[in-house]
Amino acid sequence: MDSHMDLIQEQEQAMINIRNKLALLPDLSGCYLMKNREGTIIYVGKAKVLKNRVRSYFTGSHDGKTQRLVADIRDFEYIVTGSNMEALILECNLIKTHQPKYNVLLKDDKTFPYIKITNEAHPRLEVTRRILKDKAKYFGPYPNAFAAQQTKKLLDRMYPLRKCKVMPKEVCLYYHMGQCLAPCEFEVPQQSYDEIKQEISKFLSGGHEEIKKELQRKMEEAAEDLYFERAKELRDQIINIDALMEKQKITMADAKDRDVFGFAVDKGWMCVQILYMRQGKMIERHASVFPFYGEPYNDFMSYVTQYYSENPAMPQEIMLPVEEVIVDEENDVQDEAVDHAEQAGLDDSEQATSEVMSDRVAEEGTAYAVHTTEQSVEQAEAANASEAALANEQQDAQAESGEQADPSSSAAALQQWLGVKVLIPRRGLKKQMTTMAQDNARVSLDEKFRLIERDEERTSKAAGNLGQAIGLESLERIEAFDNSNIQGTNPVSAMVVFIDGKPARKEYRKYKVRTVEGSDDYGTMREVIRRRYERVVKENLPMPDLIVVDGGKGQISAATDVLENELGLFIPVCGLVKDSKHRTSQLMVGDPAEPVNLARDSQEFYLLQRIQDEVHRFAITFHREQRGKSMITSQLDSIPGIGDKRRKLLLKHFGSLKKIREASVDDFRQLGIGDKLAKQILDALKEE
């Protein structure tokens, strides 16, 4: 307990220091570096206005990923730059230097194969994954290593550059096959090499159609001269070109080289899809899937910047999407509405609220509410107005803080840096291309989470095997709990239910923590376990075979103590411990708790990850709702003379706190609010 109090005191002292530094931030563009308690850089970001962007981390509500980042921050530094482009370059360099754990890291930026024409007296072709400043010519990247090798193999047959790494003392078989000029034996003029390199460059830059026509002409000439063997060789080369280069899916008339990007996000993961178009034809695609912690579009642009920082083969155009795709967005909203509707009949102990507002819808400035049938039309309108005002206020706050990404300015900075045209198409065929990239990203990310789940028998078997691993005869029903708060504010908890390894969404429950103040995770766990299983006993609800808590020995002990010593229930309790990167790392069971060895690539471990991710998502969603509501209501409720009725009236009339703040005293008169109270309202909001 002492160590827990020391941690809280340390966080409070760090926040005092951070607030002092926030007051000194300049209204300039630059990069900021977030540090943890050891002084290690854990996140690097860029901003057009440092003061607004850095402040946004310590104000307002955030999603689960950003909350993890903010919880680890103990200090920050910043570097002022002269422009947004300089900030983009500096961010890329700082990420590569410090490898912060919360940044998107392009770990495979040097694993793409390239075809290289070496810069030697007697050049040769090779496939390489290393980019050197050796004045060689690089072509690619080729996401498919097999395609790179096949292309080189074709070029080796077509163009007689040397094949040997070390120059031999006499001619080899390649010379006799007509695939080498034999510089080991004969002197080769530089002009011959220049012509060959020009032809290869032309081929690899997308000019294979012209080369194919030339081969066609030579084949016909050889056939007319009765050189049938030579004609057959040329015919085979044409067939190989067709097989290698003509597997096209989309064609654009202008025949430009383009890289088309799209990305999707879900459950704290991002997938970036790149479509490679050469000479107007799509020849390949590549997908990268990784966790992210910041704002989606900013982290996406960070990926793109790192990708091109060491890419010597630039296209003529880069096409970026307007915004990310959120996987299964509609289904998530519908499921959440069903969850709340199912809870409408619960008493206050488990009913968090009868109004539903999706986080993603709130970001767009729209609110939806699910009301009980007893509400009058007037009450429904007032509630909708209040929720809409909350959504607008959150959107206004994000815009003022600079938290929302600006795709246009990011594209302009990237274009200025790379010297390549960067577009964000909004209509026509180019828009269809970015949409296609987005769709592919969505499918790839969706596959990540659904590939194993599609086999129901395997999922059920995983639950059974998990039960055996922890000593249970059967494991059908699992109930998992997670707590959520930021430095003790708006503490909430959530419970999810898995039956036979599959989520039972209708049985999910949300809790507002009542008796615990501050960030007391053990106390919160005791309260929620007590409330849940008192109700289970009282109403004769199904008992779980296993209870899963988010944490280790302390959380397990707290839950077990309430179950056994207060309620007389003997239900197995296990804990899921996370690693330094906040990923599921270990299962602990018993009191005192002991670790259970599970292979990280096993179905049982994957099931635990799903359970922990799902309950965390559910808790974070509820916490964001409560935190957002408390932010907007506290600003008005703290003003003397403003009660619940007047607050709803103000929000319904003006639409958001920002618009109330911008109003004049005269604007309040039509609401029956006098000049004195109107002035108090304006003064209070402007001070905040």
Side-chain angles (χ1 to χ4, degrees), residues 378-390:
E378 183 179 351
Q379 288 173 321
E381 289 178 353
N384 276 326
S386 177
E387 295 288 7
L390 166 60

Side-chain angles (χ1 to χ4, degrees), residues 575-589:
L576 295 177
V577 182
K578 296 177 182 177
D579 59 18
S580 59
K581 295 184 179 179
H582 215 76
R583 296 177 301 196
T584 306
S585 65
Q586 196 173 49
L587 172 67
M588 302 194 75
V589 178

